[in-house]
């Protein structure tokens, strides 16, 4: 197809038609594809070829000749340098449209589903009314500028040089005040920022977390050392910052003397208040330490998991598996409406959190297994749970979990392992609710489930991370054939 091969540094004019996986603009010249960072669909641009391959090339945006009707001015002055937001120059409406289109495209192309089937079953994407300040967690690197001033900011795209900026528009509005308090404290006491090339200096990162529903705030300094000096003054400065109606509940530090890119240390010490904040999503309360995982956009998490709950269609007595359950956010959501829920997660600390959160909410019908879903589920199904940890004696013998009513999965980007999908098919639940953060692996897995006797009923994209390229999808599948019949036959075999 490609007849003309471009040379490096050549200038080309093209119209941008789409966005790629990293948010770059994609356009064509004579059937030859060009990937251009910072170009927006609808733009007519002049671009300079950076790297030319046989059928495609990477190019740099030189000039916008005709701006796209969907182009907006980025809210953040450093949007291009940062790279954390790939889509700030695109209107939010168009962003949502393109995200929905991406999910649709993957289901059709990778999953091999019919266009008409996908269109009939897809519900409108759930976006945010106010797509800013949605992140409840920020990790600011601390460094020193050329003049020797301590700075906080973000790493310039794919580098380790810090661009000073205290006001990320995705984070909480009080982050700037909290960071200023920390920087002022460092200046006042000549406390050095960490220098990663020399592996010297003290303050590496500042972690800020906020419970949006509770107004509770946490500040945690990650330090290259074992002790934090001048603690009393740090506390006073943080407590004096203007935080509106929020309350600082926790000030801590986490020692991290390793020479790696890992941000947090392995432990933390309390300097002021308690070692955690609390937040709620829907009716469920969560306790969050500096080290615990917690969804970063709680508002959209509520919507995503409410959608999953609606698709699960629980009446109160159902048996449910929640695979890849993390700290049990979905499990605890489901447990309020189900008979019993069993969560499976590979990270033991996440399961500790899940159990603590269950206890905090007085939820007693949720059990948790630690291990890979693709090991735990087949082991449970074959009755060979000796190698698996977690789960009460009762749960381990509970036959209802052999053929649950619903299985919910929320895997990482790589999707579900085939062994996990195959056991799900054998367990033959009436409904499967698939929560996905990557529609390409979702499409691949849906194909396996549909070939195994399930049918897609509903699909709903949800925008959890406005201005970035990520999009989540919830999908409801139900068993095509007589699920009850298969169950009974299988139970018969076991007896
Ligand atoms: N629903 C969860 C988040 C899911 S993110 C919550 O809201 O807390 C995906 C989770 O899958 C992560 O917690 C990750 O640790 C876990 N995970 C990754 N691979 C896994 C595997 N093979 N088996 C089980 N869990 C896995």
């Amino acid at each position: 197809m490609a007849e003309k091969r471009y040379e490096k540094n050549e200038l080309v004019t093209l119209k941008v038609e789409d966005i790629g996986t990293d948010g770059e603009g994609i356009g064509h010249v004579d059937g030859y594809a060009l990937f251009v960072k910072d170009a927006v669909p609808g733009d007519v641009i002049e671009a300079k070829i950076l790297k030319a391959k046989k059928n495609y090339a990477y190019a740099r945006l030189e000039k916008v000749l005709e701006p796209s009707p969907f182009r907006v001015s980025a809210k953040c002055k450093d949007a291009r340098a940062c790279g954390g937001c790939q889509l700030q120059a695109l209107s939010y409406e168009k962003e949502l449209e393109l995200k929905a289109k991406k999910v649709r495209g993957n289901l059709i192309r990778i999953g091999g589903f019919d266009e008409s089937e996908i269109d009939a079953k897809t519900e409108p994407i759930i976006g945010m009314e106010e797509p800013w300040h949605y992140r409840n967690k920020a990790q600011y690197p601390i460094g020193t500028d050329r003049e020797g001033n301590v700075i906080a900011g973000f790493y310039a795209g794919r580098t380790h040089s810090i661009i000073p900026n205290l006001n990320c528009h995705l984070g909480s509005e009080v982050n700037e005040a909290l960071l200023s308090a920390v920087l002022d404290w460092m200046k006042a006491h000549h406390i050095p920022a960490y220098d990663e090339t020399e592996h010297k200096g003290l303050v590496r990162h500042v972690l800020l977390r906020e419970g949006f529903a509770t107004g509770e705030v946490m500040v945690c300094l990650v330090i290259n050392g074992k002790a934090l000096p001048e603690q009393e003054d740090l506390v006073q400065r943080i407590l004096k910052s203007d935080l509106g109606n929020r309350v600082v509940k926790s000030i801590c530090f986490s020692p991290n003397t390793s020479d790696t890119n890992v941000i947090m240390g392995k432990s933390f010490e309390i300097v002021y208040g308690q070692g955690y904040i609390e937040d709620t999503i829907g009716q469920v309360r969560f306790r969050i330490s500096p080290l615990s995982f917690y969804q970063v956009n709680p508002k959209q998490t509520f919507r995503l998991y409410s959608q999953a709950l609606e698709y699960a269609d629980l009446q109160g007595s159902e048996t449910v598996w929640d695979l890849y359950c993390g700290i049990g956010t979905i499990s605890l959501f489901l447990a309020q409406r189900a008979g019993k829920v069993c969560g499976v997660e590979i990270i033991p600390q996440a399961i500790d959190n899940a159990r603590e959160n269950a206890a905090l909410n007085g939820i007693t019908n949720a059990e948790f297994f630690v291990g890979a879903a693709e090991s735990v589920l087949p082991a449970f199904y074959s009755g060979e749970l000796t190698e698996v940890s977690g789960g009460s004696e009762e749960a381990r013998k509970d036959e209802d979990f052999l053929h649950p009513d619903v299985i919910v999965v929320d895997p990482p980007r790589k999707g579900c392992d085939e062994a996990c999908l195959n056991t799900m098919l054998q367990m033959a639940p009436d409904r499967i609710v698939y929560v996905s953060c990557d529609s390409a692996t979702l499409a691949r897995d849906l194909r396996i489930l549909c070939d195994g006797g399930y049918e897609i009923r509903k699909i709903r994209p949800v925008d959890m991370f406005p201005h970035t390229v990520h999009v989540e999808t919830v999908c409801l599948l139900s068993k095509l054939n007589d699920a009850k019949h298969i169950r009974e036959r299988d139970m018969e075999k076991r007896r």
Side-chain angles (χ1 to χ4, degrees):
M1 279 245 275
E3 285 167 11
K4 184 168 176 207
R5 202 179 149 167
Y6 288 90
E7 299 293 332
K8 193 175 167 174
N9 290 332
E10 206 171 324
L11 285 174
V12 287
T13 299
L14 69 147
K15 178 152 185 170
V16 180
E17 298 141 16
D18 203 353
I19 48 171
T21 45
D22 296 323
E24 73 280 20
I26 305 177
H28 293 86
V29 189
D30 306 329
Y32 189 84
L34 284 130
F35 296 90
V36 192
K37 194 175 163 294
D38 303 314
V40 164
D43 278 346
V44 178
I45 59 165
E46 185 176 77
K48 188 186 248 179
I49 306 286
L50 294 175
K51 197 171 176 188
K53 302 272 186 188
K54 192 158 170 241
N55 297 313
Y56 63 93
Y58 296 100
R60 188 173 63 212
L61 175 62
E62 287 292 303
K63 210 188 281 170
V64 178
L65 302 173
E66 274 172 49
S68 160
F70 313 113
R71 188 174 259 286
V72 295
S73 53
K75 197 163 172 142
C76 172
K77 64 179 171 48
D78 296 314
R80 263 179 90 163
C82 170
C85 294
Q86 301 87 10
L87 306 176
Q88 269 207 29
L90 186 67
S91 77
Y92 187 53
E93 235 178 358
K94 191 69 181 176
E95 176 184 335
L96 290 176
E97 185 189 314
L98 290 173
K99 284 179 168 174
K101 190 175 144 209
K102 175 175 165 182
V103 173
R104 177 184 187 271
N106 279 340
L107 292 175
I108 293 165
R109 215 182 57 252
I110 301 170
F113 296 100
D114 259 4
E115 279 185 35
S116 54
E117 182 191 356
I118 296 300
D119 290 339
K121 291 170 178 173
T122 303
E123 303 189 85
I125 184 166
I126 303 178
M128 294 191 83
E129 292 82 40
E130 179 50 42
W132 300 102
H133 303 297
Y134 60 79
R135 283 187 62 102
N136 57 11
K137 172 181 170 183
Q139 288 167 315
Y140 277 85
I142 305 294
T144 314
D145 68 9
R146 289 215 180 101
E147 283 79 49
N149 305 306
V150 285
I151 52 170
F154 54 83
Y155 294 122
R158 294 178 194 202
T159 76
H160 268 219
S161 58
I162 298 171
I163 296 185
N165 185 332
L166 304 187
N167 184 22
C168 168
H169 294 278
L170 301 192
S172 165
E173 273 145 332
V174 299
N175 286 351
E176 188 166 5
L178 293 167
L179 288 166
S180 301
V182 175
L183 293 179
D184 289 347
W185 164 81
M186 289 176 71
K187 283 174 207 153
H189 303 285
H190 306 286
I191 292 168
Y194 178 63
D195 173 344
E196 42 173 35
T197 45
E198 300 284 330
H199 193 48
K200 276 190 193 136
L202 190 68
V203 185
R204 299 174 70 129
H205 273 85
V206 176
L207 163 75
L208 303 171
R209 299 188 99 161
E210 184 177 324
F212 284 168
T214 56
E216 299 185 4
V217 170
M218 165 185 290
V219 180
C220 180
L221 274 59
V222 183
I223 60 167
N224 176 39
K226 298 252 178 312
L228 193 70
E230 305 294 347
Q231 293 190 6
E232 193 46 41
D233 186 48
L234 174 68
V235 171
Q236 289 315 317
R237 285 174 191 266
I238 290 174
L239 294 184
K240 262 189 245 148
S241 30
D242 180 11
L243 306 179
N245 50 10
R246 298 163 178 87
V247 200
V248 177
K249 283 272 181 176
S250 170
I251 302 176
C252 333
F253 69 90
S254 174
N256 178 4
T257 52
S258 74
D259 197 358
T260 66
N261 286 342
V262 176
I263 296 180
M264 297 301 296
K266 291 198 166 58
S267 62
F268 65 91
E269 285 187 41
I270 301 170
V271 172
Y272 166 84
Q274 54 200 33
Y276 59 86
I277 55 169
E278 290 190 351
D279 195 25
T280 57
I281 298 182
Q283 305 292 313
V284 186
R285 200 164 188 88
F286 294 91
R287 190 163 282 188
I288 309 145
S289 89
L291 300 176
S292 47
F293 171 84
Y294 185 58
Q295 291 282 350
V296 295
N297 183 345
K299 195 167 188 175
Q300 290 302 87
T301 298
F302 176 68
R303 290 177 158 166
L304 177 71
Y305 292 170
S306 297
Q307 189 63 62
L309 192 61
E310 185 190 313
Y311 284 171
D313 191 22
L314 302 174
Q315 307 302 319
S317 61
E318 290 85 350
T319 302
V320 187
W321 282 98
D322 176 22
L323 308 180
Y324 312 87
C325 72
I327 60 161
T329 323
I330 299 182
S331 321
L332 301 180
F333 239 61
L334 294 164
Q336 297 173 314
R337 303 266 196 88
K340 50 197 168 189
V341 178
C342 200
V344 181
E345 160 65 41
I346 203 162
I347 298 178
Q349 292 89 326
I351 290 294
D352 293 342
N353 288 158
R355 291 202 178 103
E356 283 159 22
N357 289 326
L360 188 66
N361 290 280
I363 292 172
T364 53
N365 58 341
E367 294 273 349
F368 297 96
F369 283 100
V370 185
E374 61 273 22
S375 323
V376 175
L377 213 60
F380 191 94
Y381 195 66
S382 59
E384 288 161 14
L385 269 171
T386 41
E387 304 282 299
V388 176
S389 71
S392 64
E393 270 314 302
E394 231 171 42
R396 285 169 167 253
K397 290 199 203 107
D398 191 337
E399 290 203 349
D400 290 342
F401 281 111
L402 290 172
H403 294 291
D405 299 283
V406 181
I407 297 181
V408 178
V409 298
D410 183 10
R413 298 189 68 175
K414 67 172 195 248
C416 296
D417 191 280
E418 231 180 305
C420 175
L421 294 170
N422 287 335
T423 310
M424 286 164 64
L425 291 173
Q426 286 175 309
M427 287 182 157
D430 293 337
R431 291 178 294 290
I432 295 173
V433 179
Y434 197 130
V435 181
S436 158
C437 55
D438 184 336
S439 52
T441 54
L442 169 70
R444 177 200 68 199
D445 292 350
L446 289 185
R447 171 46 58 208
I448 294 173
L449 293 172
C450 289
D451 289 347
Y454 281 78
E455 182 185 43
I456 298 178
R457 287 291 155 106
K458 280 175 180 160
I459 302 158
R460 183 139 213 190
V462 180
D463 187 25
M464 297 270 278
F465 307 107
H467 312 295
T468 77
V469 290
H470 305 288
V471 56
E472 314 275 316
T473 312
V474 202
C475 181
L476 168 65
L477 299 119
S478 60
K479 185 103 181 72
L480 260 185
N481 307 317
D482 187 1
K484 293 237 158 53
H485 167 74
I486 294 175
R487 269 186 205 199
E488 275 155 23
R489 187 196 58 198
D490 203 33
M491 295 297 249
E492 200 56 46
K493 263 196 272 169
R494 280 173 191 280
R495 279 193 193 109

